[in-house]
Structures are given as structure tokens and as C-alpha cells.
Amino acid sequence: MVKTQETLRRALHERGLRMTPQRQLVLDAVRELEHATPEQICARVQVQAPAVNITTVYRTLDLLERLGVVRHTHLGHGAPNYSVREHQHVHLVCHDCGDVAEVPTELLDDLAGSLRDRFGFRLDATHVALSGACTACAAARRTEGRTLEEADS
Amino acid sequence: MVKTQETLRRALHERGLRMTPQRQLVLDAVRELEHATPEQICARVQVQAPAVNITTVYRTLDLLERLGVVRHTHLGHGAPNYSVREHQHVHLVCHDCGDVAEVPTELLDDLAGSLRDRFGFRLDATHVALSGACTACAAARRTEGRTLEEADS
DNA sequence: TTAGGTGCAAATCGTTTGCGAGTAA
DNA sequence: TTACTCGCAAACGATTTGCACCTAA
């Protein structure tokens, strides 16, 4: 919390950059909203400071990300989703209803190990959401129409 | 192959839809290109039929997807990536150099099992690319001595 | 004759860029 | 003074929509 803020201020200062109200507000919004799009973050910031432009939000998110304070995740089709860096988990996105579940990153530890050993690939478990069908939609699908592939057999 | 084409024709007919040259060409392009964005698919189609509009490509891809003939994958920030449904594997995308590797879906079998048992979530292994650092970029990063503050997305 | 299919232009969404003005060190 | 910051407008890339025309059943 405060730690990140001081870390940010120091990191900015080291690079000759300043801690501004806008940057403060954007960081606060990211932390409070937990998962939010630039649009949502902007709306939140504008509650306190209506004059802040969405361009500034984009620029600030980009900066905060380069400083390692926030990260973004692609949850699916639309806009990316920002959260503070400490807030780590794997996202499960239902491609039918769009529901997003969060599960611990440890679930990917084995996979990360295989990818590293076999392909030299360092998995970043938090950056991308896993897609599939949630319990409800998987059940619904089983009782419904089938796809072309399935009908073909 | 011919099989999919006939299957498609039948599926279309069942729904009162027609097999048109455009649809044929789009499907051919998706298959030939293996992984391609709507833009690339359109370009390919226009080699044979320059008048075909990108709008038609989008509409056709959407239709083919609903029929289960093609699928799309989000490889990262930009446009989605279409391939025929049979063409299955997991994508590993390097978030530094953008390189895309393909690995067998079996790697995710264990994970898919856990997600199903513990969360009722049916993983679709092919829809999303896994993000991380490829061998080269992981090595480069280590020698650069990046600090926490310098970590990048 | 009617539903389906297409092309074209315009709209939309998310994001970036150019630029001029403001402000802290 | 000199960077750095910001807001605003415009540009931009990807995709969608509205609409008129056209064609197969």
C-alpha cells in the first residue's frame, strides 16, 4: 500500500520524473478497483478530478507498468485489465457467459516447469486468462445444440 | 480438405444458408495460411477475387466460427488469429520479441483436469496463447540485470 | 417473391500521437 | 531555463453497422 507508493515516488525520482496528483490517482484507482480497464480507471479518477483526461490515464498506466507497479492482463476480446503487481492469480474466463474466476497461480507451477525444461519458455502465469466453459455454461452446452464438428461424426 | 467443405455446405444448407464463392475462398484462405488475421485472410482472398470486401471476411469468419469450422485465438495485443478447427495446439507467445511457438495441447491435460475437478471449469486449451519469455529473451533479460522497477509487461 | 448475401460508407471502440501551454526543479 | 506533464483534438487500426442492391431458390 504505502510501500508501493513510496517505491513509485523513488522510482520516478531516480529517472527524473515527478509524482503528480494524476499518477497518484491512477495508482489508487487501479488498486481500489482490483481489475479494471483504462476506461473504468479513468471514470474512477474523474470522480475526484473530473478534468483528468483518458489520454493521461493511458500514459500513466503505461508508465506504471514499465516501472513494474501495475500489470495488465488480456481477459478476452475487449480492453485489457489492469491491477497492481502484487495482486496475482490466474484468470479463468468463460467464453460463453464472460464470467471471470480467479484461481491461485500455483496451479500452473507444474506446467511452467515443463515449459521451461522442454522449451526454455518462462511462463508468465498472470498475463493471460485461460479460456473455457464455466460450470453453468458447460452444463447448458451439453443439453443444447451441437457444433458442426460434433454433428459430422 | 474436401471433407470439411462438404460438411460446411451441408451445415449451411440445413440452416437455409448458401455456399458462396466468398465463403469458399475465406475457408480456403484460413486453411492455407494456418494462422492468420482477418486482414491477412482478406488479402489472400483478394488475390483470387479482388472485389471481396473485408466486411465480408469478418462476417464469414464469424459464421464459420459459429458453425465450428474455424476458431480464433488471441495471440497478444493485436488482431485475433484464425485457423481451421482441426489445427490444434497451444501457443507460447514471447512478450518481449513477440515470437510464437506451438506446443502440443497434451501439455495442458493435467491442468485441464485440475481445473475441471476443483473449479468445474472446462479448459479450452487452444483459444488462448500463453505469455512469457522465450529462451533468447529470458537469457537477454538476465544479463541486462533488470531491477524490479524495470520489469516490463 | 422473398430471404439471404454482398459491397460500400460511415460509425464505433480502444488507443496513440502531435502539439501547445503549464509547471516544478 | 529546461525538462517533464498534461489536456485537447485528431489520427489510427480493428471491427461493426446501416443500407441499398443483387441473386438464388
Side-chain angles (χ1 to χ4, degrees):
Chain A
M1 317 196 327
V2 182
K3 181 215 149 216
T4 309
Q5 218 169 84
E6 280 170 17
T7 307
L8 172 57
R9 170 166 257 123
R10 202 179 62 238
L12 287 169
H13 193 258
E14 275 170 16
R15 285 147 225 256
L17 308 177
R18 284 169 258 169
M19 173 61 110
T20 66
Q22 284 91 336
R23 286 170 182 170
Q24 185 97 357
L25 287 166
V26 168
L27 178 54
D28 290 348
V30 171
R31 186 168 11 246
E32 284 163 23
L33 297 173
E34 298 220 325
H35 290 287
T37 62
E39 204 88 33
Q40 295 169 324
I41 292 164
C42 187
R44 175 63 160 248
V45 167
Q46 288 177 337
V47 171
Q48 313 243 2
V52 173
N53 195 276
I54 191 157
T55 303
T56 301
V57 173
Y58 276 107
R59 283 193 280 232
T60 303
L61 287 172
D62 187 64
L63 173 65
L64 294 179
E65 187 151 37
R66 276 184 287 114
L67 294 177
V69 179
V70 306
R71 60 148 48 81
H72 78 268
T73 305
H74 292 280
L75 254 35
H77 307 262
N81 209 281
Y82 284 82
S83 57
V84 289
R85 190 119 182 155
E86 310 93 70
H87 186 73
Q88 278 214 159
H89 38 232
V90 176
H91 298 92
L92 306 180
V93 180
C94 177
H95 50 38
D96 284 350
C97 69
D99 185 57
V100 179
E102 300 180 350
V103 302
T105 54
E106 291 81 57
L107 272 161
L108 296 195
D109 285 352
D110 287 349
L111 174 63
S114 318
L115 292 178
R116 185 154 112 188
D117 296 345
R118 296 176 51 182
F119 306 100
F121 187 83
R122 307 297 171 116
L123 179 65
D124 175 3
T126 63
H127 186 68
V128 174
L130 299 176
S131 182
C134 70
T135 313
C137 292
R141 182 162 279 221
R142 237 167 290 126
T143 60
E144 262 173 30
R146 343 172 74 207
T147 65
L148 175 61
E149 281 284 285
E150 291 155 351
D152 191 34
S153 55
Chain B
M1 312 159 181
V2 182
K3 179 214 151 212
T4 308
Q5 217 166 87
E6 280 170 16
T7 308
L8 172 57
R9 170 167 258 123
R10 202 176 64 237
L12 288 168
H13 194 257
E14 274 172 17
R15 286 151 224 250
L17 308 177
R18 285 169 239 155
M19 175 61 112
T20 66
Q22 285 91 336
R23 286 172 181 169
Q24 186 98 352
L25 287 166
V26 169
L27 178 54
D28 289 349
V30 171
R31 185 170 8 249
E32 284 164 24
L33 297 173
E34 297 221 328
H35 289 287
T37 63
E39 205 88 34
Q40 295 168 325
I41 292 163
C42 186
R44 176 62 161 250
V45 166
Q46 288 177 338
V47 171
Q48 312 244 1
V52 172
N53 195 277
I54 190 154
T55 303
T56 300
V57 173
Y58 275 108
R59 284 194 279 232
T60 303
L61 287 172
D62 187 64
L63 174 65
L64 294 179
E65 186 151 37
R66 277 183 287 113
L67 294 178
V69 179
V70 307
R71 63 148 49 80
H72 78 268
T73 305
H74 293 280
L75 253 36
H77 305 262
N81 209 282
Y82 285 82
S83 57
V84 288
R85 191 119 181 154
E86 310 92 73
H87 187 71
Q88 278 214 160
H89 38 233
V90 176
H91 299 92
L92 307 179
V93 180
C94 178
H95 49 38
D96 284 350
C97 68
D99 184 57
V100 180
E102 299 181 351
V103 302
T105 55
E106 291 83 55
L107 272 161
L108 296 195
D109 284 351
D110 287 348
L111 173 63
S114 316
L115 293 178
R116 187 154 109 189
D117 296 344
R118 297 176 51 181
F119 307 99
F121 187 83
R122 307 299 172 117
L123 180 65
D124 175 4
T126 63
H127 185 69
V128 174
L130 299 176
S131 181
C134 70
T135 313
C137 292
R141 186 166 278 224
R142 247 180 326 248
T143 61
E144 273 172 31
R146 296 189 161 213
T147 67
L148 172 67
E149 292 89 19
E150 282 168 327
D152 199 352
S153 75

Coordinates of all heavy atoms in Angstrom, one line a residue, chain B residues 18 38-39 54-55 58-59 78-80, chain D residues 13-19 23-25:
Chain B
R18 N -26.4 -20.3 -47.9 CA -25.8 -20.8 -49.1 C -24.3 -20.9 -49.1 O -23.7 -20.1 -48.4 CB -26.2 -19.8 -50.3 CG -27.6 -20.0 -50.7 CD -28.0 -18.8 -51.6 NE -29.1 -18.1 -51.1 CZ -29.3 -16.8 -51.3 NH1 -28.6 -16.1 -52.1 NH2 -30.4 -16.2 -50.8
P38 N -7.8 -11.5 -39.8 CA -8.8 -11.2 -40.8 C -8.2 -10.4 -42.0 O -8.5 -10.7 -43.1 CB -9.8 -10.4 -40.0 CG -9.7 -10.9 -38.6 CD -8.3 -11.2 -38.4
E39 N -7.3 -9.5 -41.6 CA -6.7 -8.7 -42.7 C -5.9 -9.5 -43.6 O -6.0 -9.4 -44.9 CB -5.7 -7.7 -41.9 CG -5.3 -6.5 -42.7 CD -6.4 -5.4 -42.4 OE1 -6.9 -5.3 -41.2 OE2 -6.6 -4.6 -43.3
I54 N -13.5 -6.6 -47.0 CA -13.1 -7.1 -45.7 C -14.3 -7.3 -44.8 O -14.3 -8.2 -43.9 CB -12.0 -6.2 -45.0 CG1 -11.4 -6.9 -43.8 CG2 -12.6 -4.8 -44.7 CD1 -10.1 -6.4 -43.4
T55 N -15.3 -6.6 -45.0 CA -16.5 -6.7 -44.2 C -17.1 -8.2 -44.4 O -17.5 -8.8 -43.4 CB -17.6 -5.8 -44.6 OG1 -17.1 -4.4 -44.5 CG2 -18.9 -5.9 -43.8
Y58 N -14.9 -10.6 -42.4 CA -15.3 -10.6 -41.0 C -16.6 -11.4 -40.8 O -16.7 -12.2 -39.9 CB -15.5 -9.2 -40.4 CG -14.2 -8.6 -40.0 CD1 -13.6 -7.5 -40.7 CD2 -13.6 -9.0 -38.8 CE1 -12.4 -6.9 -40.4 CE2 -12.4 -8.4 -38.4 CZ -11.8 -7.4 -39.2 OH -10.7 -6.8 -38.8
R59 N -17.6 -11.1 -41.6 CA -18.9 -11.8 -41.4 C -18.7 -13.3 -41.6 O -19.3 -14.1 -40.9 CB -19.9 -11.2 -42.4 CG -20.4 -9.8 -41.9 CD -21.7 -9.4 -42.7 NE -21.3 -8.8 -44.0 CZ -21.7 -7.6 -44.5 NH1 -22.5 -6.9 -43.7 NH2 -21.4 -7.2 -45.6
G78 N -2.7 -7.5 -30.6 CA -3.3 -7.1 -31.9 C -4.6 -7.9 -32.3 O -5.3 -8.4 -31.5
A79 N -4.7 -8.1 -33.6 CA -5.9 -8.8 -34.1 C -5.8 -10.3 -33.8 O -4.8 -10.9 -33.6 CB -5.9 -8.6 -35.6
P80 N -7.0 -10.9 -33.7 CA -7.0 -12.3 -33.4 C -6.5 -13.1 -34.6 O -6.4 -12.6 -35.7 CB -8.5 -12.6 -33.2 CG -9.2 -11.5 -33.9 CD -8.3 -10.3 -33.8
Chain D
dG13 P -3.2 3.0 -39.1 OP1 -1.8 2.7 -39.5 OP2 -4.2 3.4 -40.1 O5' -3.8 1.8 -38.3 C5' -3.0 1.3 -37.2 C4' -3.9 0.2 -36.5 O4' -5.1 0.8 -36.0 C3' -4.4 -0.9 -37.5 O3' -4.3 -2.1 -36.8 C2' -5.8 -0.5 -37.8 C1' -6.2 0.2 -36.5 N9 -7.2 1.3 -36.7 C8 -7.3 2.2 -37.7 N7 -8.3 3.0 -37.5 C5 -8.9 2.6 -36.3 C6 -10.1 3.1 -35.7 O6 -10.8 4.1 -36.0 N1 -10.3 2.4 -34.5 C2 -9.6 1.3 -34.0 N2 -10.0 0.8 -32.9 N3 -8.5 0.9 -34.7 C4 -8.3 1.5 -35.8
dA14 P -4.7 -3.4 -37.6 OP1 -3.7 -4.4 -37.2 OP2 -4.9 -3.1 -39.0 O5' -6.1 -3.8 -37.0 C5' -6.2 -4.0 -35.6 C4' -7.6 -4.2 -35.2 O4' -8.3 -2.9 -35.4 C3' -8.4 -5.2 -36.0 O3' -9.0 -6.1 -35.2 C2' -9.3 -4.4 -36.9 C1' -9.6 -3.2 -35.9 N9 -10.0 -2.0 -36.6 C8 -9.4 -1.4 -37.8 N7 -10.0 -0.3 -38.2 C5 -11.0 -0.1 -37.2 C6 -11.9 0.9 -37.1 N6 -12.0 1.9 -37.9 N1 -12.8 0.8 -36.0 C2 -12.7 -0.2 -35.2 N3 -11.8 -1.2 -35.2 C4 -11.0 -1.1 -36.3
dT15 P -9.8 -7.4 -35.7 OP1 -9.8 -8.4 -34.7 OP2 -9.4 -7.6 -37.1 O5' -11.3 -6.8 -35.7 C5' -11.9 -6.3 -34.5 C4' -13.2 -5.6 -34.8 O4' -13.0 -4.5 -35.6 C3' -14.2 -6.5 -35.5 O3' -15.2 -6.8 -34.6 C2' -14.7 -5.6 -36.6 C1' -14.2 -4.2 -36.2 N1 -14.0 -3.3 -37.3 C2 -14.7 -2.1 -37.3 O2 -15.6 -1.9 -36.5 N3 -14.5 -1.3 -38.4 C4 -13.5 -1.4 -39.4 O4 -13.4 -0.6 -40.3 C5 -12.7 -2.7 -39.3 C7 -11.7 -3.0 -40.3 C6 -13.0 -3.5 -38.3
dT16 P -16.6 -7.5 -35.0 OP1 -17.1 -8.3 -33.8 OP2 -16.3 -8.2 -36.3 O5' -17.5 -6.3 -35.2 C5' -17.7 -5.3 -34.2 C4' -18.8 -4.3 -34.6 O4' -18.3 -3.5 -35.7 C3' -20.1 -5.0 -35.1 O3' -21.1 -4.4 -34.4 C2' -20.1 -4.7 -36.6 C1' -19.3 -3.4 -36.7 N1 -18.5 -3.2 -38.0 C2 -18.6 -2.0 -38.6 O2 -19.4 -1.1 -38.2 N3 -17.9 -1.8 -39.7 C4 -17.0 -2.8 -40.2 O4 -16.3 -2.5 -41.2 C5 -16.9 -4.0 -39.5 C7 -16.0 -5.1 -40.0 C6 -17.7 -4.2 -38.4
dT17 P -22.6 -4.8 -34.6 OP1 -23.3 -4.8 -33.3 OP2 -22.6 -6.1 -35.4 O5' -23.2 -3.7 -35.5 C5' -22.9 -2.3 -35.2 C4' -23.5 -1.4 -36.2 O4' -22.7 -1.2 -37.4 C3' -24.9 -1.9 -36.7 O3' -25.7 -0.7 -36.8 C2' -24.6 -2.4 -38.1 C1' -23.4 -1.5 -38.5 N1 -22.5 -2.0 -39.5 C2 -22.0 -1.2 -40.5 O2 -22.4 0.0 -40.7 N3 -21.1 -1.7 -41.4 C4 -20.6 -3.0 -41.4 O4 -19.8 -3.4 -42.2 C5 -21.1 -3.8 -40.3 C7 -20.6 -5.3 -40.2 C6 -22.0 -3.3 -39.4
dG18 P -27.3 -0.9 -36.9 OP1 -28.0 -0.3 -35.7 OP2 -27.6 -2.3 -37.3 O5' -27.6 0.0 -38.2 C5' -26.8 1.2 -38.4 C4' -27.2 1.8 -39.7 O4' -26.2 1.3 -40.7 C3' -28.6 1.4 -40.3 O3' -29.1 2.5 -41.0 C2' -28.2 0.2 -41.2 C1' -26.8 0.6 -41.8 N9 -26.0 -0.5 -42.1 C8 -25.8 -1.7 -41.4 N7 -24.9 -2.5 -41.9 C5 -24.4 -1.8 -43.0 C6 -23.4 -2.2 -43.9 O6 -22.7 -3.2 -43.9 N1 -23.2 -1.2 -44.8 C2 -23.9 0.0 -44.9 N2 -23.6 0.9 -45.9 N3 -24.8 0.4 -44.0 C4 -25.0 -0.6 -43.1
dC19 P -30.5 2.5 -41.7 OP1 -31.1 3.8 -41.5 OP2 -31.3 1.3 -41.1 O5' -30.2 2.2 -43.2 C5' -29.1 3.0 -43.8 C4' -28.9 2.5 -45.2 O4' -27.9 1.4 -45.2 C3' -30.2 1.9 -45.9 O3' -30.3 2.4 -47.2 C2' -29.9 0.4 -45.9 C1' -28.4 0.4 -46.1 N1 -27.7 -0.9 -45.7 C2 -26.6 -1.4 -46.5 O2 -26.3 -0.7 -47.4 N3 -26.1 -2.5 -46.1 C4 -26.5 -3.2 -45.1 N4 -25.9 -4.4 -44.8 C5 -27.6 -2.8 -44.3 C6 -28.2 -1.6 -44.6
dT23 P -27.1 -9.7 -59.9 OP1 -25.8 -9.7 -60.7 OP2 -28.4 -9.3 -60.5 O5' -27.2 -11.1 -59.2 C5' -26.4 -11.5 -58.2 C4' -27.0 -12.7 -57.5 O4' -28.0 -12.3 -56.5 C3' -27.7 -13.7 -58.4 O3' -27.3 -15.0 -58.0 C2' -29.2 -13.4 -58.2 C1' -29.2 -13.1 -56.7 N1 -30.3 -12.3 -56.2 C2 -30.9 -12.6 -55.0 O2 -30.5 -13.5 -54.3 N3 -31.9 -11.8 -54.6 C4 -32.5 -10.8 -55.3 O4 -33.4 -10.1 -54.9 C5 -31.8 -10.5 -56.6 C7 -32.4 -9.4 -57.5 C6 -30.8 -11.3 -57.0
dA24 P -27.5 -16.3 -59.0 OP1 -26.2 -16.7 -59.4 OP2 -28.5 -15.9 -60.0 O5' -28.1 -17.3 -58.0 C5' -27.4 -17.7 -56.8 C4' -28.3 -18.3 -55.8 O4' -29.3 -17.4 -55.4 C3' -29.0 -19.6 -56.3 O3' -29.1 -20.5 -55.3 C2' -30.4 -19.0 -56.7 C1' -30.6 -17.9 -55.7 N9 -31.4 -16.8 -56.2 C8 -31.3 -16.2 -57.5 N7 -32.1 -15.2 -57.6 C5 -32.8 -15.1 -56.4 C6 -33.9 -14.3 -56.0 N6 -34.3 -13.3 -56.7 N1 -34.3 -14.5 -54.7 C2 -33.8 -15.5 -54.0 N3 -32.9 -16.4 -54.3 C4 -32.4 -16.1 -55.6
dA25 P -29.7 -22.0 -55.6 OP1 -28.9 -23.0 -54.8 OP2 -29.8 -22.1 -57.1 O5' -31.2 -21.8 -55.0 C5' -31.4 -22.1 -53.6 C4' -32.8 -21.9 -53.3 O4' -33.2 -20.6 -53.9 C3' -33.8 -22.9 -53.8 O3' -34.8 -23.1 -52.7 C2' -34.5 -22.2 -55.0 C1' -34.4 -20.8 -54.5 N9 -34.5 -19.8 -55.7 C8 -33.8 -19.9 -56.8 N7 -34.0 -18.8 -57.6 C5 -35.0 -18.1 -56.9 C6 -35.6 -16.9 -57.3 N6 -35.5 -16.2 -58.4 N1 -36.5 -16.4 -56.3 C2 -36.7 -17.1 -55.2 N3 -36.1 -18.2 -54.8 C4 -35.3 -18.7 -55.7

